Amino acid sequence: MRALEVAELAPHHGGCALVDRPVPAPGPGEVRVRVRAAAVNFPDLLMTNGGYQLKPELPFTPGLEFAGEVEALGEGVAGWAVGDAVVGGNRFGAMAEAITVPARALRRKPERLSWEEAAAYGVAYLTAYVSLVRCGRVAAGEWVLVHGAAGGVGLATVDLAKALGARVIAAASSAAKREAIAGLYAPDAVIAAEPGFRDTVKALTGGNGADVIFDPVGGDIFDESTRCIAFDGRLLVVGFASGRIPEVPANIPLIKGFSVVGVRAGEYGRRFPQRGAENLAAIDALAADGRIRPHVHAVLDLADWRAGFAMLERREAVGKVVLRP
C-alpha cells in the first residue's frame, strides 16, 4: 500500500517520502480501514519536524483523521462488519491507503457527507463544539466573534455557532477569505482582522461587545479582544497562530467581568470520557441532520501531499485540505 512516511525529523518536511508498505493486519480488538480520504491538520505538519508535543517513534505515517470502509476485523471485534462506512481519529497513521486502529476509534460515517467531508469534520467540529458548548456555554442570541475564521477550525466554529442560534461575527485577514466565508455560511457580519476591529465589534453589538470570543491566533488579536468582550463574556484561548503567547493583567478581566478559558478539545475528552463521547455524538448528529456543513477547500491525491501541506503553511486554505490515498 502507498503511505506517506516520516523517516527523519527535518525542516520543510525533508524527512518525508511516499513509500510502499505492507498492508497491516489488525490485531485483537483492532479494525483495518481502507482509507478513502484523510484530512490535513497543522499537528500533522508539526510532527514531521518534531515541533508537536506528540513525537511518534520513527518511521511513522502522519494523519489524525480519516474516512473509509472497514476492510478487516481483528479477534474479538464486535459491532462492525466488512464494508461499513466509518470515520475515525488516530493520533497518526491516516495518510496511507489503509490504517489499523482500535475498534473504539471508529464511528459510523454520516450518510449526508462525502468521503472528503467526512474526513474533514471530526477534529474541526469537535474543537468548535468543546469551545462553544463546553467552555463557552454559548446561548442562542449571544454574539460570538470568531478569529481565524477562514481556517479549518475557525470555519467550523462559524458554522456551528450559527447552528446553535448565536449571532456570529467572522474575522479574517483577506478580502478573498471574507468573501468566501460570507458565501459559505452567511454570518451576521464578516470583518477584517486588523487593528481597530474592537470598534467594529462594539458597533455591531450595540456597544456591549461579544459574549464569546474564539481566538486561535493570540498575540495582538488577543490583546485587542480583551477590549471588545462583553461583561460576563468568555474569551476562549484556542491557539497562538500569530507566534506570540499573550499575557493579560489580572485587573482587566476583574474590572470587565470576563473569563479567559483555555480550550483543549482532545484532552477534554480524555479527562472526561463520558462527556467526550457525548461531544462526538453531538457533532455526528448535527452532521447527520444537515445542521452543519463541513467545507473542503481542496482534494488532492496522496502523491501531492506537499502541495496540500503548503496550502496550510501559506494560510491560503478556506476550510480543510483533504488527501485521497
Side-chain angles (χ1 to χ4, degrees), residues 80-243:
W80 296 110
V82 172
D84 284 346
V86 296
V87 294
N90 202 48
R91 303 183 85 179
F92 54 91
M95 294 181 186
E97 290 182 330
I99 183 173
T100 297
V101 296
R104 64 178 180 277
L106 300 176
R107 311 186 317 278
R108 299 200 179 273
K109 182 180 85 68
E111 290 186 8
R112 288 177 180 266
L113 301 185
S114 67
W115 291 120
E116 294 76 20
E117 291 169 336
Y121 86 102
V123 169
Y125 281 88
L126 178 62
T127 303
Y129 189 88
V130 172
S131 298
L132 295 178
V133 177
R134 296 297 190 178
C135 298
R137 309 184 315 279
V138 69
E142 286 192 312
W143 282 100
V144 175
L145 169 60
V146 181
H147 291 298
V153 176
L155 199 61
T157 304
V158 170
D159 187 20
L160 179 61
K162 290 280 290 182
L164 295 172
R167 292 179 286 181
V168 182
I169 304 169
S173 58
S174 72
K177 288 181 178 179
R178 293 192 291 272
E179 182 179 355
I181 294 166
L184 287 167
Y185 296 119
D188 296 85
V190 184
I191 66 173
E194 58 189 28
F197 69 79
R198 63 180 178 180
D199 296 325
T200 305
V201 172
K202 283 291 193 73
L204 287 166
T205 59
N208 294 321
D211 300 289
V212 176
I213 299 180
F214 177 92
D215 178 19
V217 182
D220 295 342
I221 291 291
F222 177 93
D223 295 342
E224 191 162 345
S225 292
T226 66
R227 292 165 174 79
C228 62
I229 190 165
F231 192 87
D232 198 32
R234 288 79 75 198
L235 204 171
L236 307 177
V237 179
V238 185
F240 310 107
S242 69

